[in-house]
């Protein structure tokens, strides 16, 4: 491949990348974008181009014209875009915080329930028989909670 074949492809690729980045506000983006647009709409020599190159060039020029028609003049649309972008970002941040708090609460409740289940079970002897204690007369959930409380109270002492 010669340089004359590779250069238009590189220019088109750069133009495509800059089109995706055109929403960002970089200091050199408008000037660079104008240069690449101008370079990509240059007419290729007819002796080296084929029919598909001409069709591709026509399609690219048509898309460029459509983009220029759709783009709002001046910076009026940019301010609205920034406001909507900021609003979306705040909504996403609030949603993330809400979900993190829900997840933390769920994990806390799950940890407390599992702790009561593990530490509140009735003690067993070597044969696997339950050892009776003072909480056997209470309902099962109350038994678990009281045994867990007693376990941690004894553990502290």
């Amino acid at each position: 491949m010669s340089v004359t074949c590779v250069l238009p492809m590189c220019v088109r690729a750069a133009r495509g990348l800059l089109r995706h980045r055109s929403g960002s506000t970089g200091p050199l983006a408008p000037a660079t974008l104008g240069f690449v647009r101008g370079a990509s709409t240059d007419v290729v020599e007819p002796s080296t181009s084929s029919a598909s190159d001409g069709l591709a060039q026509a399609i690219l020029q048509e898309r460029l014209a459509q983009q220029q028609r759709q783009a709002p003049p001046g910076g009026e649309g940019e301010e609205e875009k920034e406001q909507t972008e900021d609003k979306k970002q705040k909504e996403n941040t609030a949603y993330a915080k809400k979900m993190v708090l829900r997840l933390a609460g769920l994990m806390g409740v799950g940890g407390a329930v599992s702790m009561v289940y593990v530490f509140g079970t009735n003690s067993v002897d070597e044969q696997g028989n339950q050892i009776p204690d003072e909480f056997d007369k209470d309902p099962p959930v109350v038994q678990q909670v009281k045994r867990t409380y007693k376990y941690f109270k004894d553990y502290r002492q």
Side-chain angles (χ1 to χ4, degrees), residues 44-95:
V44 181
E45 298 174 15
S47 61
T48 60
S49 67
S50 65
S52 63
D53 287 341
L55 179 62
Q57 191 70 24
I59 291 172
L60 288 173
Q61 287 177 351
E62 183 180 330
R63 286 187 183 171
L64 178 61
Q66 286 176 355
Q67 286 179 354
Q68 288 174 350
R69 279 182 264 152
Q70 291 175 355
E76 297 170 3
E78 291 178 14
E79 188 174 316
E80 292 175 9
K81 285 180 184 178
E82 288 179 13
Q83 288 176 354
T84 56
E85 189 176 308
D86 289 343
K87 186 177 179 182
K88 280 185 179 181
Q89 186 176 4
K90 287 179 182 178
E91 288 174 359
N92 289 342
T93 303
Y95 179 75

Side-chain angles (χ1 to χ4, degrees), residues 95-111:
Y95 179 75
K97 284 180 182 178
K98 186 169 39 170
M99 293 310 288
V100 165
L101 287 174
R102 286 181 182 175
L103 182 63
L106 185 64
M107 289 176 65
V109 168

